[in-house]
């Protein structure tokens, strides 16, 4: 059976606790953002659309809990009054919003077809599409159009080993073969208190407020003599190894944040991990834990901590069988 891979022994736990070289992650982040900057600067030089931009690395790669299958999650903060206000304008127009969804679906099908073409045909198409007249964009130019044009510009800064495609929140860059890691780029607006992520499906912003996440993480990590970070990394590695993806990090961080500090003491990592997993099972983790972003709300009520409950229940059953 597949669950037999989860024979929990010290060697197994120690292996999953090993971090990826932070220099490697930082290097890939710098290379990725340099390419993004080159494309954004090209747009800035051709128009007044973008006033400024900045990048922020989020999720496990920013917390030191990344694993082999992790993806760089990057917030791209764009200062652009026209792009920001275009969302407000379209929200008032139901039909425009409806047709934008249809256009997005057609565009995604088109991009999938293009990705299947031969390399030489694809290169010629991308070269032609990259000729965009940013100097003469009109008042109807919005974030949906910007994402598509941005990809057309950005693609020439990567080799044919990398694939770029649009998603609802920004774009995905499959560049593990070229740069070493894949990336998700979220187009956001930073108002100083929280982040607004544009969703091209609903055509509105999703508010992202990390609250006390980073300070709570640091405090818990210090209180546990940096075992907290290791336990989160172990869980990420095991979950990704069995389920196939790295789980929602705010949920995982919250789950272990709620565990008493004394549980992180033990002669080995295995001792700590088993005590903590037993505690989570007993406390019915989905019902009794609060969010690391805001200790006043339940983890199940935090919109940033959404998970696939089926996958989590399946994974915890495997862990229980392995204990």
């Amino acid at each position: 059976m597949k669950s037999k891979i989860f024979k929990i022994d010290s060697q197994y736990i120690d292996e999953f606790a090993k971090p990826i070289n932070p220099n490697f992650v930082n290097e890939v982040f710098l290379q990725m953002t340099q390419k993004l900057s080159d494309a954004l600067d090209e747009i800035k030089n051709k128009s007044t659309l973008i006033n400024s931009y900045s990048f922020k690395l989020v999720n496990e790669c920013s917390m030191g809990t990344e694993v082999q299958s992790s993806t760089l999650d990057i917030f791209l903060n764009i200062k652009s009054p026209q792009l920001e206000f275009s969302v407000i304008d379209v929200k008032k127009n139901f039909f425009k919003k409806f047709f934008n969804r249809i256009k997005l679906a057609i565009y995604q099908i088109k991009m999938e077809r293009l990705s299947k073409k031969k390399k030489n045909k694809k290169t010629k198409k991308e070269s032609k599409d990259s000729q965009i007249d940013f100097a003469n964009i009109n008042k109807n130019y919005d974030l949906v159009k910007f994402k598509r044009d941005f990809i057309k510009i950005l693609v020439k800064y990567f080799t044919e080993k990398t694939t770029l495609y649009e998603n609802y929140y920004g774009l995905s860059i499959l560049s593990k073969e070229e740069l070493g890691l894949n990336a998700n780029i979220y187009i956001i607006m930073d108002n100083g208190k929280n982040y607004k992520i544009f969703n091209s499906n609903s055509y509105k912003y999703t508010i992202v407020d990390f609250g006390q996440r980073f300070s709570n993480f640091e405090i818990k990590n210090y209180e546990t003599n940096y075992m907290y970070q290791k336990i989160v990394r172990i869980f990420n590695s095991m979950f990704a190894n069995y389920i196939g993806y790295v789980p929602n990090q705010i949920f995982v961080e919250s789950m272990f944040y709620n565990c008493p500090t004394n549980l992180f003491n033990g002669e080995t990592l295995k001792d700590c991990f088993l005590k903590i997993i037993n505690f989570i099972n007993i406390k019915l983790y989905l019902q009794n834990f609060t969010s690391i972003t805001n200790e006043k709300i339940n983890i199940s009520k935090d919109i940033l901590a959404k998970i696939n409950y089926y996958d989590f229940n399946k994974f915890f059953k495997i862990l229980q069988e392995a204990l």
Side-chain angles (χ1 to χ4, degrees):
M1 293 177 61
K2 197 172 183 179
S3 61
K4 288 183 179 179
I5 66 171
F6 275 101
K7 179 182 179 182
I8 299 181
D9 55 34
S10 294
Q11 183 178 358
Y12 182 79
I13 296 295
D14 291 343
E15 186 64 28
F16 276 135
K18 294 179 181 178
I20 295 178
N21 187 338
N23 293 330
F24 167 72
V25 175
N26 291 334
E27 180 62 28
V28 175
F29 175 70
L30 290 175
Q31 291 182 56
M32 190 73 70
T33 53
Q34 182 60 59
K35 293 178 184 296
L36 293 168
S37 295
D38 290 341
L40 290 166
D41 287 342
E42 183 174 334
I43 297 173
K44 282 186 65 179
N45 292 334
K46 294 178 179 179
S47 73
T48 58
L49 180 66
I50 300 175
N51 293 343
S52 63
Y53 62 85
S54 59
F55 305 102
K56 181 179 179 61
L57 185 62
V58 296
N59 284 335
E60 70 269 17
C61 288
S62 68
M63 311 299 279
T65 54
E66 68 277 357
V67 297
Q68 292 295 330
S69 55
S70 287
T71 296
L72 288 177
D73 289 325
I74 301 173
F75 277 8
L76 168 55
N77 178 31
I78 296 179
K79 298 293 184 182
S80 172
Q82 176 168 339
L83 293 179
E84 185 170 8
F85 291 133
S86 69
V87 177
I88 299 174
D89 178 62
V90 175
K91 283 174 66 177
K92 298 176 182 178
N93 190 325
F94 171 80
F95 291 103
K96 187 173 181 180
K97 178 178 175 182
F98 174 74
F99 284 114
N100 274 331
R101 290 186 180 182
I102 295 177
K103 289 179 182 178
L104 175 61
I106 295 173
Y107 177 79
Q108 289 174 329
I109 294 173
K110 178 182 176 182
M111 292 302 291
E112 288 177 2
R113 288 176 177 174
L114 283 175
S115 66
K116 294 178 182 178
K117 289 185 176 181
K118 293 182 180 180
K119 174 183 171 182
N120 60 336
K121 291 183 178 180
K122 182 178 178 182
T123 302
K124 290 179 182 178
K125 177 67 176 176
E126 290 167 349
S127 178
K128 181 181 178 181
D129 285 343
S130 65
Q131 303 303 315
I132 302 167
D133 188 8
F134 283 103
N136 295 311
I137 59 176
N138 58 41
K139 64 179 182 179
N140 295 321
Y141 193 83
D142 57 17
L143 272 167
V144 173
K145 295 176 182 177
F146 170 76
K147 282 198 299 180
R148 297 170 189 170
D149 289 344
F150 182 43
I151 290 176
K152 293 174 184 177
I153 295 292
L154 183 62
V155 70
K156 66 183 180 182
Y157 291 100
F158 290 89
T159 71
E160 69 279 358
K161 295 179 180 179
T162 293
T163 300
L164 295 85
Y165 63 91
E166 178 183 356
N167 58 45
Y168 289 145
Y169 293 101
L171 57 145
S172 295
I173 303 176
L174 305 182
S175 192
K176 196 160 188 176
E177 188 177 353
E178 180 177 349
L179 297 183
L181 289 172
N182 297 328
N184 290 318
I185 313 300
Y186 298 85
I187 297 177
I188 67 148
M189 303 293 172
D190 183 0
N191 61 15
K193 295 182 179 180
N194 49 45
Y195 303 103
K196 297 190 300 182
I197 301 181
F198 175 67
N199 184 327
S200 57
N201 182 46
S202 62
Y203 219 96
K204 61 183 180 181
Y205 288 111
T206 298
I207 303 299
V208 175
D209 186 356
F210 290 124
Q212 301 301 311
R213 176 192 182 187
F214 301 106
S215 59
N216 283 340
F217 188 101
E218 290 181 5
I219 291 171
K220 188 73 171 183
N221 203 29
Y222 178 78
E223 290 177 344
T224 60
N225 195 26
Y226 305 100
M227 286 295 292
Y228 172 69
Q229 185 182 52
K230 291 181 180 179
I231 295 299
V232 172
R233 189 186 301 121
I234 291 169
F235 188 88
N236 284 342
S237 297
M238 295 177 71
F239 191 96
N241 188 57
Y242 185 78
I243 302 299
Y245 62 90
V246 179
N248 182 297
Q249 288 304 281
I250 291 181
F251 186 93
V252 175
E253 291 167 15
S254 299
M255 191 169 61
F256 293 115
Y257 180 77
N258 282 265
C259 297
T261 301
N262 67 294
L263 293 181
F264 291 83
N265 297 323
E267 293 183 3
T268 65
L269 277 172
K270 176 184 175 182
D271 294 336
C272 294
F273 187 76
L274 294 183
K275 285 191 296 183
I276 291 169
I277 293 300
N278 278 322
F279 174 81
I280 292 174
N281 285 331
I282 293 172
K283 297 293 287 187
L284 299 175
Y285 65 98
L286 295 181
Q287 300 177 19
N288 299 310
F289 287 176
T290 58
S291 174
I292 193 171
T293 65
N294 185 347
E295 295 179 68
K296 294 181 179 179
I297 64 174
N298 187 278
I299 188 175
S300 63
K301 303 296 182 181
D302 190 341
I303 62 171
L304 301 181
K306 291 183 179 180
I307 61 167
N308 184 314
Y309 289 107
Y310 174 81
D311 287 346
F312 262 76
N313 289 331
K314 178 181 179 181
F315 181 66
F316 267 85
K317 287 181 180 178
I318 296 299
L319 286 180
Q320 288 173 346
E321 293 174 359
L323 293 178

